[in-house]
Amino acid sequence: MGLHSLISLTTTILFLSLLLVHTDSAQPPFSCDSSNPSTGSYPFCKTSLPISERAQDIVSRLTLDEKISQLVNTAPPIPRLGIPGFEWWSEALHGVANAGPGIHFNGTIKAATSFPQVILTAASFDTSLWHRIGQAIGTEARAVYNNGQASGLTFWAPNINVFRDPRWGRGQETPGEDPLVTGKYAVAYVRGVQGDSKNGEQGNPDQHLQASACCKHFTAYDLDDWNGVDRFHFDARVSLQDLADTYQPPFKSCVEQGKASGIMCAYNRVNGVPACADFNLLSLTARGKWGFNGYIVSDCDAVKIMFDSYGYTKTPEDAVVDVLKAGMDLDCGLYLKEHTKQAVEQKKLPVSEIDRALRNIFSIRLRLGLFDGNPAKLPYGNIGPDQVCSKKHQDLALEAAQNGIVLLKNPDRLLPLPKSKTLSLAVIGPNANAPQTLLGNYAGVPCKSISPLQALQSYVKNTIYHPGCNNVECASATIDEAVKIAKEVDYVVLIMGLDQTQERESHDRVHLELPGKQQELLTNVARVAKKPVVLVLLSGGPIDISSAKDDRTIGSILWAGYPGEAGGIALANIIFGDHNPGGRLPVTWYPQDYVKVPMTDMRMRSDPSSGYPGRTYRFYKGKTVFEFGYGLSYSKYAYEVSSITKSVLHLNQSSTVADYKLVSELGRDVCDKKKFSVKVGVKNQGEMAGKHTVFLFLRKAKPSNGSPIKQLLGFHRIFLKAGERAEVEFELSPCDHLSRANEAGLMVMEPGLHFLVVGDEEYPLTTIV
């Protein structure tokens, strides 16, 4: 979002709304009070009617001015109909947050569970964990609302843009660089927040929502401010091929499988057209092809900038017309409130377009149960303050942090450190005693705040702390003092990396190395320490630590993302062996040299003729610091493919052998009949129990025509005791898993030899089309 000038106005309007409709100190305002004969008889109050009819009834009763007033994020009350005000803008990226105007921690609820930033949660590769986090966030959101401390129940998360470039300041908010992983995260999170089961049937347009989730930023948004180009003015030039197999799949999954009730259109243009004014994107694709049933909101002031900033339209009214006719419903901002009536009066905009948007808007409020009478008597009405910051949720935050942290280096088994009462420890670095850094961006007020230093001190009483730098930027470093301390202790843990001064919304990075003098501090301390040191990195994006990777005086490296309120405890538990790390990197870690690639180049595929290296593990042809999916453990795991139900796939329906076949021509029946399974045996050969992610990749023997170098087909997270063996099964559909996008953006099946890849093992699979 980012444009917070709206918040004070929002607060004033919503305070007034509380005075105009039914309120109670113990509950939020609501419509359709059965004790009020003037409103209880309206058809929109009859819960026996379909949501669509009730929404239409509301819209039919509004004047033009009332209609227009509802097209913005801060919707005022309509007292004559008993309709309270509503704030659409609330945030819950990794916990209920007061980052938007809809949430207030000024009552009996002072905080909410702050889970790890999404990039670290994604590193667990655990869809069940993702769903449980979504459930917890949805539960706490409803509790805050029920307690009268929220002005709405629509939360603008998750961020499911693909983490395309390592410099992107908001990459930390995403599940990483892989479209499949990002889509699965979206489905799990959205189902959890909205109150759906993980795998059960859902998506009924009349189904009640616990809270509303909104997938953003639609689409091809992954640049904030780089080299003079900002997100407000950026025109993302994207091929149909890249749209089809990289940028769009997470949103398709979010809609079709997650049944998200909201979509946010992005600031940027896509191939010349503002995302919020793109009829093909919003109406033909999201609603038409994917069956989206919800509301579409602009990013904040995205409509305003169309005219005011880069003159896409000739007048403000034209901007309003373009977005509403494209299929957008709600403006985060004031532009529609200020210019829609003139557009109608100028006969540029039919009122029917406003009515269409309002039906979508009010359908969500109806599904939230806000027009069903006293909320205390409704589903989710009994969720109280005791479910915010509950022990269950705080334990879940710790579990998420522990399961996401990635062990990047440990060749001589320096970790875990021994537990000894006589041990002395130095904790050095600018992130060692910075609990706020653990949270990342879009964070609310955490239930508790324990820094890594405090958590490590709980293991070792004789702990000496030194920041080493004046801050994370580390323009000034007190290296001599840190070196003196390091010489005197048994073990040294350096906690370094980035924070929100280095990467955030509206701020992309310009390099991939440790900031300022951090590298100098690290090298000097490691050189004099009695034993190889432990390096802990806090960051959202990757860091080029090639020198540390190869430096024998640095014995172990952990990447902890921004691990949330329980991140300090999680790190200490891993460092001292009370938890076995099993996280895997959800992004490629590139060398510093990658910054030569313009962030504005949206191409995924490499171009050898120009030296363009490509992006992400699927297409990048260059050196890496660490590969996507890399991660070590205190245990070792062995794989064997125990069975493959098919090694040759015949997809031809005639005697003619083709160069390719469109998936759409094969048809769903053929695709379903050709499904097959792969069973993989996994054994924990170590001495510690642990959770481990099994990846199944596909590699084509002879990649051509823009085929990925390799492609993730699926992943399973499994818990194994020391010495235990188990099997995981991957169900594969050729049309979904073995197809690729051609240059026209159409999914095709190609003949030839492929390899199913598990760890270092490869198994041949031949397709005939």
Side-chain angles (χ1 to χ4, degrees):
M1 308 331 78
L3 304 178
H4 293 277
S5 59
L6 300 171
I7 294 180
S8 60
L9 178 61
T10 293
T11 304
T12 301
I13 292 174
L14 286 162
F15 173 76
L16 292 174
S17 77
L18 299 178
L19 303 178
L20 294 168
V21 295
H22 181 102
T23 62
D24 187 289
S25 60
Q27 60 189 205
F30 61 87
S31 296
C32 302
D33 183 1
S34 59
S35 64
N36 184 347
S38 66
T39 60
S41 61
Y42 289 131
F44 66 75
C45 291
K46 300 187 183 304
T47 58
S48 60
L49 294 177
I51 293 288
S52 58
E53 290 186 26
R54 297 173 69 193
Q56 174 57 37
D57 183 64
I58 294 173
V59 175
S60 71
R61 297 176 185 277
L62 302 181
T63 66
L64 178 59
D65 287 342
E66 287 171 338
K67 289 178 178 180
I68 292 171
S69 73
Q70 300 296 307
L71 295 175
V72 294
N73 64 284
T74 304
I78 306 172
R80 68 182 184 85
L81 298 177
I83 297 175
F86 188 83
E87 176 54 62
W88 290 85
W89 179 3
S90 294
E91 302 288 354
L93 181 68
H94 52 108
V96 178
N98 53 352
I103 298 294
H104 315 285
F105 290 130
N106 57 358
T108 56
I109 298 174
K110 304 293 186 182
T113 309
S114 189
F115 294 94
Q117 181 59 288
V118 177
I119 194 68
L120 187 75
T121 295
S124 70
F125 287 90
D126 187 339
T127 56
S128 175
L129 175 67
W130 301 342
H131 182 255
R132 286 184 286 136
I133 289 173
Q135 285 179 315
I137 291 172
T139 297
E140 294 199 0
R142 181 62 80 152
V144 173
Y145 185 83
N146 289 347
N147 204 52
Q149 291 180 234
S151 311
L153 275 167
T154 48
F155 293 85
W156 292 349
N159 180 342
I160 56 169
N161 296 116
V162 169
F163 196 168
R164 173 186 62 95
D165 190 289
R167 292 161 288 187
W168 187 30
R170 300 188 73 178
Q172 61 180 292
E173 302 174 26
T174 77
E177 71 182 35
D178 183 78
L180 173 74
V181 175
T182 302
K184 286 186 176 293
Y185 178 87
V187 172
Y189 173 93
V190 167
R191 283 178 179 266
V193 167
Q194 294 190 165
D196 298 326
S197 65
K198 182 173 181 287
N199 297 307
E201 288 297 320
Q202 37 71 68
N204 182 337
D206 289 339
Q207 181 182 353
H208 272 90
L209 298 170
Q210 176 175 245
S212 169
C214 174
C215 288
K216 65 184 186 184
H217 310 81
F218 195 43
T219 193
Y221 167 68
D222 48 19
L223 177 151
D224 268 60
D225 191 0
W226 175 83
N227 199 30
V229 179
D230 65 42
R231 57 183 176 165
F232 308 117
H233 298 86
F234 181 47
D235 185 4
R237 294 289 172 169
V238 188
S239 71
L240 294 175
Q241 189 174 38
D242 287 340
L243 274 173
D245 72 2
T246 299
Y247 296 105
Q248 297 290 64
F251 289 95
K252 185 174 187 286
S253 296
C254 188
V255 170
E256 290 186 342
Q257 299 169 48
K259 301 298 180 184
S261 51
I263 289 176
M264 175 179 284
C265 50
Y267 286 118
N268 55 282
R269 285 165 283 172
V270 180
N271 298 327
V273 182
C276 293
D278 193 332
F279 179 80
N280 177 64
L281 191 64
L282 305 187
S283 292
L284 295 184
T285 301
R287 293 197 188 277
K289 293 180 182 178
W290 302 341
F292 176 62
N293 178 42
Y295 77 104
I296 299 176
V297 60
S298 75
D299 208 335
C300 293
D301 280 348
V303 181
K304 174 184 173 69
I305 65 174
M306 286 171 52
F307 172 75
D308 289 10
S309 293
Y310 57 86
Y312 178 78
T313 60
K314 293 182 179 179
T315 67
E317 291 74 26
D318 290 338
V320 169
V321 172
D322 282 1
V323 297
L324 287 174
K325 286 190 173 181
M328 197 195 83
D329 304 308
L330 186 74
D331 176 20
C332 178
L334 299 171
Y335 218 62
L336 262 62
K337 182 177 180 180
E338 293 169 348
H339 299 290
T340 300
K341 190 168 187 179
Q342 295 95 312
V344 172
E345 291 172 345
Q346 293 170 15
K347 301 191 183 304
K348 292 181 175 181
L349 180 70
V351 176
S352 60
E353 291 290 353
I354 300 173
D355 291 348
R356 175 204 56 76
L358 291 173
R359 286 193 295 271
N360 292 329
I361 288 170
F362 278 106
S363 290
I364 300 303
R365 292 175 67 175
L366 285 158
R367 290 182 63 193
L368 287 164
L370 305 183
F371 288 78
D372 294 352
N374 189 340
K377 300 177 182 179
L378 299 172
Y380 310 118
N382 62 347
I383 299 176
D386 61 323
Q387 296 199 45
V388 181
C389 289
S390 65
K391 183 180 185 303
K392 177 182 176 182
H393 291 173
Q394 291 189 62
D395 288 348
L396 182 60
L398 176 60
E399 178 188 346
Q402 290 180 154
N403 290 346
I405 291 171
V406 182
L407 179 63
L408 295 173
K409 178 182 178 180
N410 199 35
D412 298 320
R413 301 175 68 87
L414 173 65
L415 290 179
L417 297 184
K419 297 175 185 175
S420 169
K421 292 181 179 179
T422 60
L423 191 75
S424 60
L425 178 70
V427 180
I428 298 170
N431 276 333
N433 196 31
Q436 187 64 32
T437 300
L438 300 177
L439 305 181
N441 70 348
Y442 280 94
V445 180
C447 307
K448 59 185 178 184
S449 181
I450 299 174
S451 71
L453 171 64
Q454 292 170 311
L456 290 168
Q457 286 171 328
S458 71
Y459 280 91
V460 181
K461 289 185 178 180
N462 185 12
T463 295
I464 304 172
Y465 162 66
H466 195 283
C469 298
N470 56 327
N471 52 35
V472 164
E473 188 176 0
C474 202
S476 172
T478 49
I479 294 174
D480 291 344
E481 294 179 20
V483 164
K484 183 178 179 181
I485 292 170
K487 288 179 178 179
E488 302 299 323
V489 297
D490 296 320
Y491 291 96
V492 177
V493 176
L494 291 119
I495 305 178
M496 312 178 85
L498 311 178
D499 65 6
Q500 300 307 301
T501 67
Q502 305 298 304
E503 54 176 355
R504 63 181 184 277
E505 185 171 8
S506 300
H507 184 83
D508 298 324
R509 294 157 69 194
V510 295
H511 64 82
L512 300 180
E513 298 168 323
L514 285 168
K517 296 183 178 180
Q518 282 196 39
Q519 182 63 55
E520 184 181 352
L521 172 66
L522 170 61
T523 302
N524 280 277
V525 167
R527 188 182 298 133
V528 302
K530 293 180 181 178
K531 295 182 178 66
V533 302
V534 178
L535 171 62
V536 175
L537 296 171
L538 300 184
S539 73
I543 303 172
D544 183 356
I545 51 166
S546 300
S547 61
K549 179 181 175 183
D550 299 329
D551 188 341
R552 298 195 64 174
T553 65
I554 300 171
S556 301
I557 303 174
L558 290 163
W559 174 70
Y562 295 119
E565 66 173 42
I569 299 172
L571 272 168
N573 288 350
I574 288 172
I575 288 171
F576 283 97
D578 285 332
H579 184 82
N580 192 352
R584 311 284 283 273
L585 292 178
V587 291
T588 301
W589 282 36
Y590 302 88
Q592 166 64 17
D593 191 56
Y594 195 84
V595 300
K596 295 177 182 178
V597 177
M599 273 192 78
T600 49
D601 195 325
M602 302 294 289
R603 290 177 296 168
M604 298 302 299
R605 289 153 172 85
S606 64
D607 180 9
S609 65
S610 65
Y612 183 71
R615 296 183 181 278
T616 77
Y617 80 94
R618 294 160 64 229
F619 302 107
Y620 172 62
K621 294 180 179 179
K623 294 180 180 179
T624 63
V625 180
F626 294 107
E627 294 184 348
F628 170 89
Y630 180 81
L632 305 173
S633 169
Y634 296 154
S635 299
K636 289 188 176 181
Y637 298 87
Y639 303 125
E640 60 172 341
V641 174
S642 52
S643 72
I644 302 177
T645 55
K646 291 181 181 178
S647 60
V648 179
L649 284 170
H650 291 270
L651 295 170
N652 54 329
Q653 301 172 67
S654 69
S655 58
T656 304
V657 177
D659 292 332
Y660 69 90
K661 188 78 172 180
L662 290 173
V663 169
S664 59
E665 291 177 352
L666 286 172
R668 197 73 249 175
D669 288 344
V670 172
C671 294
D672 289 343
K673 288 177 182 177
K674 297 295 181 178
K675 286 182 178 179
F676 65 102
S677 67
V678 178
K679 290 184 179 179
V680 178
V682 191
K683 184 174 183 179
N684 182 348
Q685 296 180 326
E687 299 176 355
M688 285 185 71
K691 287 188 174 181
H692 181 69
T693 300
V694 183
F695 293 118
L696 179 64
F697 289 97
L698 180 75
R699 181 179 70 81
K700 195 173 180 182
K702 294 181 179 180
S704 61
N705 302 321
S707 298
I709 299 167
K710 67 177 181 178
Q711 174 74 45
L712 183 64
L713 301 184
F715 55 93
H716 284 294
R717 183 80 161 180
I718 185 171
F719 175 79
L720 293 172
K721 298 176 183 177
E724 185 180 5
R725 182 189 180 279
E727 284 192 344
V728 296
E729 184 173 8
F730 296 89
E731 293 284 347
L732 302 180
S733 165
C735 298
D736 295 332
H737 295 100
L738 307 185
S739 62
R740 72 164 188 89
N742 66 12
E743 292 182 356
L746 302 174
M747 302 308 292
V748 298
M749 296 292 302
E750 294 178 317
L753 176 63
H754 301 75
F755 292 97
L756 296 171
V757 182
V758 182
D760 296 328
E761 306 293 323
E762 293 191 344
Y763 300 85
L765 175 68
T766 301
T767 57
I768 301 172
V769 298

